[in-house]
Amino acid sequence: MGKALSRIGSSLCGVGVTVIDGNKYIKHRQLGEGAFSYVDEIEDIKDGKLYALKRIICHDSKSEKEAVAEAKATQSLSSKHIIKCRSFEVFKKAPYSEVWLVLEYYDKGTLWDHFQKLKSENKVLKFNEIVRLFRGIVEGVNAIHEAGMVHRDLKPANILLGAENCPVICDLGSLAEASVKISTKKEAQTLEDLASERCTLPYRAPELLSVPVGDYITTSTDIWSLGCILYSLVYLEGPFDSVWLKGDSVHLAVQSAKFDTQKLDELSGPLKALVEQMLDQDPKYRPPADLVNRRLEEII
Ligand SMILES: Nc1ncnc2c1ncn2[C@@H]1O[C@H](COP(=O)(O)OP(=O)(O)OP(=O)(O)O)[C@@H](O)[C@H]1O
């Protein structure tokens, strides 16, 4: 902890070796970039094993605390469908800091990348593959919910693919307490602002678009996003992605819950029914993750 950021940073940019939590690594290439982070492929020089290094840039102590919470959550959750964190370290250099997470490396890209590849080849996912992928994702989400938390930013771009295309949920930066009571207008506004910063719009549940006062916001927000993901496994895009891309109102589309269901109809009636249950406007009617899993077993 507390090593000079400039020294560490420059050693990564050059040919040098960098030390994180006592292990020495060399950098290969950049894998991705988020709003406040960079992800690089790195190699442990001791055994040649590859990892992904996520460097989160923090401009104040609040964002540093959140990044550390992301690292700790990533270490504490145990499911083969949730990203694993080997170690993390905080590098301080006033007036900001960086939190570095050494993550298990998944070399097949994200589910979203997979969709783009299939689209370019004019292919779609087969029914069995849709169910297999979705069951893995639901299992990961269930583990998060059982730990008393909610992910709040589930989307195909936050699902990595590991060996044999095993789906792995990543980016736990939006993780929150499973259930929060909204008592005042101010609390509702604060959560709405947080959601617009952290929860990707076309996958955001209606109760996070317009937060109601006097009610609880629960893990049902993830179930809405799961509904969008199951839909995307059939259509290779979420039900509200095209609305968003066209610049039309996602709020309106979500509130009227208008989306095409023809392909779902053709594929499987029970799967279509499950998507519709998960995309219920009323969070209380959405099935919890363990029930979604049982429904999938019945569908198979
Ligand atoms: N463990 C990993 N293995 C391989 N690639 C990864 C890994 N973690 C992240 N990536 C790549 O880096 C990208 C960004 O990672 P991540 O979503 O965790 O960052 P983020 O800053 O939270 O992103 P955003 O702001 O888009 O939500 C991912 O979409 C993926 O392409």
Side-chain angles (χ1 to χ4, degrees), residues 45-298:
I45 57 170
K46 207 162 106 195
D47 57 12
K49 196 167 181 268
L50 295 176
Y51 292 89
L53 171 65
K54 180 169 177 176
R55 292 181 289 133
I56 307 174
I57 319 297
C58 310
H59 292 281
D60 51 36
S61 60
K62 183 172 166 275
S63 55
E64 182 185 304
K65 244 172 115 178
E66 286 165 357
V68 169
E70 173 178 349
K72 287 187 175 165
T74 310
Q75 284 185 326
S76 72
L77 290 161
S78 148
S79 159
K80 67 173 179 172
H81 298 291
I82 298 175
I83 194 160
K84 285 175 188 54
C85 179
R86 182 190 203 193
S87 57
F88 75 93
E89 205 164 329
V90 183
F91 297 105
K92 289 184 188 289
K93 193 189 183 203
Y96 68 100
S97 63
E98 291 193 12
V99 178
W100 289 15
L101 281 66
V102 180
L103 301 164
E104 285 290 316
Y105 178 50
Y106 302 93
D107 62 351
K108 294 198 172 63
T110 67
L111 187 59
W112 184 253
D113 299 333
H114 191 46
F115 290 168
Q116 305 321 306
K117 187 166 175 284
L118 288 168
K119 275 185 183 174
S120 71
E121 295 167 351
N122 243 335
K123 288 183 183 160
V124 289
L125 287 167
K126 296 207 170 75
F127 179 75
N128 286 352
E129 184 62 356
I130 291 172
V131 175
R132 186 193 69 81
L133 284 165
F134 192 60
R135 283 188 83 185
I137 298 166
V138 174
E139 220 179 277
V141 172
N142 197 32
I144 295 175
H145 293 181
E146 279 182 348
M149 289 180 277
V150 56
H151 185 286
R152 288 227 189 116
D153 195 20
L154 294 168
K155 56 179 178 177
N158 278 342
I159 311 290
L160 292 162
L161 296 173
E164 289 160 17
N165 273 1
C166 172
V168 177
I169 298 168
C170 74
D171 193 0
L172 304 186
S174 308
L175 215 69
E177 225 179 289
S179 178
V180 283
K181 173 106 203 271
I182 305 298
S183 307
T184 63
K185 242 179 151 177
K186 190 163 177 269
E187 283 171 359
Q189 189 58 54
T190 305
L191 182 54
E192 243 171 75
D193 293 346
L194 183 72
S196 64
E197 199 186 290
R198 295 287 177 90
C199 317
T200 306
L201 184 53
Y203 293 81
R204 198 185 305 160
E207 66 272 24
L208 285 176
L209 288 168
S210 177
V211 177
V213 179
D215 216 339
Y216 284 88
I217 299 295
T218 69
T219 50
S220 293
T221 54
D222 277 355
I223 304 299
W224 175 279
S225 310
L226 278 178
C228 295
I229 291 175
L230 178 52
Y231 182 101
S232 75
L233 287 164
V234 178
Y235 285 79
L236 305 183
E237 63 176 39
F240 308 108
D241 280 355
S242 59
V243 176
W244 184 55
L245 284 172
K246 274 191 265 170
D248 292 343
S249 169
V250 175
H251 286 56
L252 273 181
V254 164
Q255 269 147 20
S256 61
K258 265 198 186 141
F259 46 84
D260 178 68
T261 57
Q262 198 190 329
K263 284 187 195 172
L264 276 165
D265 267 331
E266 286 162 10
L267 190 70
S268 155
L271 210 66
K272 179 192 165 196
L274 187 56
V275 169
E276 286 175 340
Q277 282 158 14
M278 287 189 281
L279 295 183
D280 199 304
Q281 293 291 316
D282 188 338
K284 292 186 191 75
Y285 292 119
R286 292 178 213 142
D290 55 348
L291 187 56
V292 173
N293 228 337
R294 286 209 294 282
R295 295 257 160 86
L296 285 168
E297 275 167 28
E298 286 161 21

